[in-house]
PDB file of all heavy atoms in Angstrom:
ATOM      1  N   CYS A 503       2.817 157.132  47.327  1.00 95.00           N
ATOM      2  CA  CYS A 503       2.153 156.782  46.072  1.00 95.00           C
ATOM      3  C   CYS A 503       1.262 155.559  46.239  1.00 95.00           C
ATOM      4  O   CYS A 503       0.146 155.508  45.694  1.00 95.00           O
ATOM      5  CB  CYS A 503       3.188 156.540  44.968  1.00 95.00           C
ATOM      6  SG  CYS A 503       4.006 158.050  44.378  1.00 95.00           S
ATOM      7  N   ARG A 504       1.730 154.570  47.001  1.00 94.00           N
ATOM      8  CA  ARG A 504       0.891 153.391  47.251  1.00 94.00           C
ATOM      9  C   ARG A 504      -0.380 153.784  47.988  1.00 94.00           C
ATOM     10  O   ARG A 504      -1.463 153.263  47.693  1.00 94.00           O
ATOM     11  CB  ARG A 504       1.685 152.348  48.041  1.00 94.00           C
ATOM     12  CG  ARG A 504       2.675 151.559  47.188  1.00 94.00           C
ATOM     13  CD  ARG A 504       3.101 150.275  47.883  1.00 94.00           C
ATOM     14  NE  ARG A 504       3.841 150.538  49.106  1.00 94.00           N
ATOM     15  CZ  ARG A 504       5.152 150.687  49.164  1.00 94.00           C
ATOM     16  NH1 ARG A 504       5.872 150.619  48.051  1.00 94.00           N
ATOM     17  NH2 ARG A 504       5.762 150.896  50.314  1.00 94.00           N
ATOM     18  N   ARG A 505      -0.239 154.697  48.956  1.00 94.00           N
ATOM     19  CA  ARG A 505      -1.440 155.148  49.669  1.00 94.00           C
ATOM     20  C   ARG A 505      -2.390 155.881  48.730  1.00 94.00           C
ATOM     21  O   ARG A 505      -3.610 155.858  48.919  1.00 94.00           O
ATOM     22  CB  ARG A 505      -1.056 156.066  50.834  1.00 94.00           C
ATOM     23  CG  ARG A 505      -0.340 155.360  51.969  1.00 94.00           C
ATOM     24  CD  ARG A 505      -0.298 156.229  53.224  1.00 94.00           C
ATOM     25  NE  ARG A 505       0.440 157.465  53.015  1.00 94.00           N
ATOM     26  CZ  ARG A 505       1.741 157.612  53.239  1.00 94.00           C
ATOM     27  NH1 ARG A 505       2.455 156.568  53.670  1.00 94.00           N
ATOM     28  NH2 ARG A 505       2.342 158.774  53.051  1.00 94.00           N
ATOM     29  N   ALA A 506      -1.830 156.526  47.712  1.00 94.00           N
ATOM     30  CA  ALA A 506      -2.657 157.241  46.735  1.00 94.00           C
ATOM     31  C   ALA A 506      -3.200 156.309  45.651  1.00 94.00           C
ATOM     32  O   ALA A 506      -3.947 156.747  44.778  1.00 94.00           O
ATOM     33  CB  ALA A 506      -1.854 158.371  46.094  1.00 94.00           C
ATOM     34  N   GLY A 507      -2.808 155.048  45.688  1.00 95.00           N
ATOM     35  CA  GLY A 507      -3.391 154.062  44.793  1.00 95.00           C
ATOM     36  C   GLY A 507      -2.671 153.837  43.484  1.00 95.00           C
ATOM     37  O   GLY A 507      -3.265 153.327  42.529  1.00 95.00           O
ATOM     38  N   PHE A 508      -1.391 154.171  43.417  1.00 96.00           N
ATOM     39  CA  PHE A 508      -0.667 153.914  42.167  1.00 96.00           C
ATOM     40  C   PHE A 508       0.814 153.695  42.450  1.00 96.00           C
ATOM     41  O   PHE A 508       1.314 153.991  43.538  1.00 96.00           O
ATOM     42  CB  PHE A 508      -0.850 155.081  41.183  1.00 96.00           C
ATOM     43  CG  PHE A 508      -0.089 156.333  41.536  1.00 96.00           C
ATOM     44  CD1 PHE A 508       1.112 156.640  40.921  1.00 96.00           C
ATOM     45  CD2 PHE A 508      -0.576 157.209  42.501  1.00 96.00           C
ATOM     46  CE1 PHE A 508       1.821 157.794  41.239  1.00 96.00           C
ATOM     47  CE2 PHE A 508       0.114 158.372  42.830  1.00 96.00           C
ATOM     48  CZ  PHE A 508       1.316 158.664  42.200  1.00 96.00           C
ATOM     49  N   SER A 509       1.508 153.156  41.461  1.00 94.00           N
ATOM     50  CA  SER A 509       2.950 152.980  41.510  1.00 94.00           C
ATOM     51  C   SER A 509       3.559 153.868  40.438  1.00 94.00           C
ATOM     52  O   SER A 509       3.193 153.765  39.258  1.00 94.00           O
ATOM     53  CB  SER A 509       3.327 151.517  41.260  1.00 94.00           C
ATOM     54  OG  SER A 509       4.724 151.345  41.281  1.00 94.00           O
ATOM     55  N   PRO A 510       4.483 154.759  40.806  1.00 94.00           N
ATOM     56  CA  PRO A 510       4.975 155.735  39.826  1.00 94.00           C
ATOM     57  C   PRO A 510       5.866 155.109  38.761  1.00 94.00           C
ATOM     58  O   PRO A 510       6.557 154.122  38.999  1.00 94.00           O
ATOM     59  CB  PRO A 510       5.769 156.722  40.685  1.00 94.00           C
ATOM     60  CG  PRO A 510       6.226 155.914  41.863  1.00 94.00           C
ATOM     61  CD  PRO A 510       5.114 154.949  42.132  1.00 94.00           C
ATOM     62  N   THR A 511       5.847 155.704  37.586  1.00 95.00           N
ATOM     63  CA  THR A 511       6.786 155.360  36.518  1.00 95.00           C
ATOM     64  C   THR A 511       8.056 156.178  36.716  1.00 95.00           C
ATOM     65  O   THR A 511       7.983 157.395  36.914  1.00 95.00           O
ATOM     66  CB  THR A 511       6.183 155.677  35.143  1.00 95.00           C
ATOM     67  OG1 THR A 511       4.979 154.924  34.973  1.00 95.00           O
ATOM     68  CG2 THR A 511       7.169 155.341  34.036  1.00 95.00           C
ATOM     69  N   THR A 512       9.218 155.524  36.687  1.00 95.00           N
ATOM     70  CA  THR A 512      10.488 156.209  36.924  1.00 95.00           C
ATOM     71  C   THR A 512      11.155 156.536  35.602  1.00 95.00           C
ATOM     72  O   THR A 512      11.436 155.648  34.797  1.00 95.00           O
ATOM     73  CB  THR A 512      11.429 155.340  37.785  1.00 95.00           C
ATOM     74  OG1 THR A 512      10.773 155.008  39.010  1.00 95.00           O
ATOM     75  CG2 THR A 512      12.717 156.089  38.091  1.00 95.00           C
ATOM     76  N   ALA A 513      11.409 157.827  35.385  1.00 95.00           N
ATOM     77  CA  ALA A 513      12.067 158.256  34.155  1.00 95.00           C
ATOM     78  C   ALA A 513      13.578 158.234  34.288  1.00 95.00           C
ATOM     79  O   ALA A 513      14.291 157.983  33.309  1.00 95.00           O
ATOM     80  CB  ALA A 513      11.615 159.671  33.784  1.00 95.00           C
ATOM     81  N   ALA A 514      14.094 158.514  35.486  1.00 95.00           N
ATOM     82  CA  ALA A 514      15.541 158.556  35.698  1.00 95.00           C
ATOM     83  C   ALA A 514      15.818 158.556  37.192  1.00 95.00           C
ATOM     84  O   ALA A 514      14.939 158.853  38.015  1.00 95.00           O
ATOM     85  CB  ALA A 514      16.155 159.794  35.048  1.00 95.00           C
ATOM     86  N   ARG A 515      17.057 158.230  37.529  1.00 94.00           N
ATOM     87  CA  ARG A 515      17.529 158.289  38.918  1.00 94.00           C
ATOM     88  C   ARG A 515      18.901 158.952  38.926  1.00 94.00           C
ATOM     89  O   ARG A 515      19.696 158.746  38.016  1.00 94.00           O
ATOM     90  CB  ARG A 515      17.628 156.893  39.549  1.00 94.00           C
ATOM     91  CG  ARG A 515      16.297 156.205  39.775  1.00 94.00           C
ATOM     92  CD  ARG A 515      16.485 154.816  40.377  1.00 94.00           C
ATOM     93  NE  ARG A 515      15.221 154.134  40.554  1.00 94.00           N
ATOM     94  CZ  ARG A 515      14.492 154.175  41.669  1.00 94.00           C
ATOM     95  NH1 ARG A 515      14.949 154.870  42.713  1.00 94.00           N
ATOM     96  NH2 ARG A 515      13.351 153.535  41.760  1.00 94.00           N
ATOM     97  N   SER A 516      19.164 159.720  39.978  1.00 92.00           N
ATOM     98  CA  SER A 516      20.463 160.378  40.098  1.00 92.00           C
ATOM     99  C   SER A 516      20.726 160.681  41.568  1.00 92.00           C
ATOM    100  O   SER A 516      19.800 160.786  42.368  1.00 92.00           O
ATOM    101  CB  SER A 516      20.483 161.677  39.279  1.00 92.00           C
ATOM    102  OG  SER A 516      21.694 162.394  39.494  1.00 92.00           O
ATOM    103  N   GLY A 517      21.997 160.834  41.892  1.00 87.00           N
ATOM    104  CA  GLY A 517      22.382 161.252  43.230  1.00 87.00           C
ATOM    105  C   GLY A 517      22.731 162.722  43.291  1.00 87.00           C
ATOM    106  O   GLY A 517      23.122 163.227  44.343  1.00 87.00           O
ATOM    107  N   GLN A 518      22.582 163.434  42.167  1.00 89.00           N
ATOM    108  CA  GLN A 518      22.962 164.838  42.071  1.00 89.00           C
ATOM    109  C   GLN A 518      21.711 165.709  41.996  1.00 89.00           C
ATOM    110  O   GLN A 518      20.935 165.615  41.040  1.00 89.00           O
ATOM    111  CB  GLN A 518      23.837 165.072  40.837  1.00 89.00           C
ATOM    112  CG  GLN A 518      25.099 164.238  40.808  1.00 89.00           C
ATOM    113  CD  GLN A 518      26.029 164.584  41.968  1.00 89.00           C
ATOM    114  OE1 GLN A 518      26.160 165.756  42.340  1.00 89.00           O
ATOM    115  NE2 GLN A 518      26.673 163.580  42.537  1.00 89.00           N
ATOM    116  N   ILE A 519      21.540 166.571  42.993  1.00 90.00           N
ATOM    117  CA  ILE A 519      20.336 167.389  43.068  1.00 90.00           C
ATOM    118  C   ILE A 519      20.229 168.324  41.867  1.00 90.00           C
ATOM    119  O   ILE A 519      19.163 168.446  41.246  1.00 90.00           O
ATOM    120  CB  ILE A 519      20.325 168.193  44.380  1.00 90.00           C
ATOM    121  CG1 ILE A 519      20.330 167.243  45.582  1.00 90.00           C
ATOM    122  CG2 ILE A 519      19.102 169.096  44.448  1.00 90.00           C
ATOM    123  CD1 ILE A 519      20.477 167.938  46.920  1.00 90.00           C
ATOM    124  N   ASP A 520      21.322 169.005  41.535  1.00 90.00           N
ATOM    125  CA  ASP A 520      21.272 169.963  40.429  1.00 90.00           C
ATOM    126  C   ASP A 520      20.955 169.271  39.104  1.00 90.00           C
ATOM    127  O   ASP A 520      20.268 169.850  38.241  1.00 90.00           O
ATOM    128  CB  ASP A 520      22.598 170.717  40.325  1.00 90.00           C
ATOM    129  CG  ASP A 520      22.815 171.660  41.502  1.00 90.00           C
ATOM    130  OD1 ASP A 520      21.809 172.105  42.080  1.00 90.00           O
ATOM    131  OD2 ASP A 520      23.977 171.943  41.837  1.00 90.00           O
ATOM    132  N   PHE A 521      21.434 168.048  38.937  1.00 93.00           N
ATOM    133  CA  PHE A 521      21.148 167.312  37.707  1.00 93.00           C
ATOM    134  C   PHE A 521      19.669 166.943  37.639  1.00 93.00           C
ATOM    135  O   PHE A 521      19.042 167.019  36.579  1.00 93.00           O
ATOM    136  CB  PHE A 521      22.019 166.067  37.624  1.00 93.00           C
ATOM    137  CG  PHE A 521      21.872 165.294  36.342  1.00 93.00           C
ATOM    138  CD1 PHE A 521      22.135 165.893  35.122  1.00 93.00           C
ATOM    139  CD2 PHE A 521      21.466 163.972  36.356  1.00 93.00           C
ATOM    140  CE1 PHE A 521      22.002 165.183  33.927  1.00 93.00           C
ATOM    141  CE2 PHE A 521      21.330 163.261  35.173  1.00 93.00           C
ATOM    142  CZ  PHE A 521      21.595 163.864  33.962  1.00 93.00           C
ATOM    143  N   ILE A 522      19.093 166.557  38.785  1.00 94.00           N
ATOM    144  CA  ILE A 522      17.666 166.236  38.827  1.00 94.00           C
ATOM    145  C   ILE A 522      16.836 167.465  38.442  1.00 94.00           C
ATOM    146  O   ILE A 522      15.881 167.375  37.662  1.00 94.00           O
ATOM    147  CB  ILE A 522      17.283 165.723  40.225  1.00 94.00           C
ATOM    148  CG1 ILE A 522      17.863 164.318  40.436  1.00 94.00           C
ATOM    149  CG2 ILE A 522      15.769 165.721  40.423  1.00 94.00           C
ATOM    150  CD1 ILE A 522      17.627 163.749  41.819  1.00 94.00           C
TER     151      ILE A 522
END
Side-chain angles (χ1 to χ4, degrees):
C503 288
R504 282 198 295 271
R505 291 194 298 269
F508 73 100
S509 179
T511 300
T512 303
R515 292 179 182 268
S516 174
Q518 302 297 322
I519 299 173
D520 291 333
F521 184 59
I522 288 176

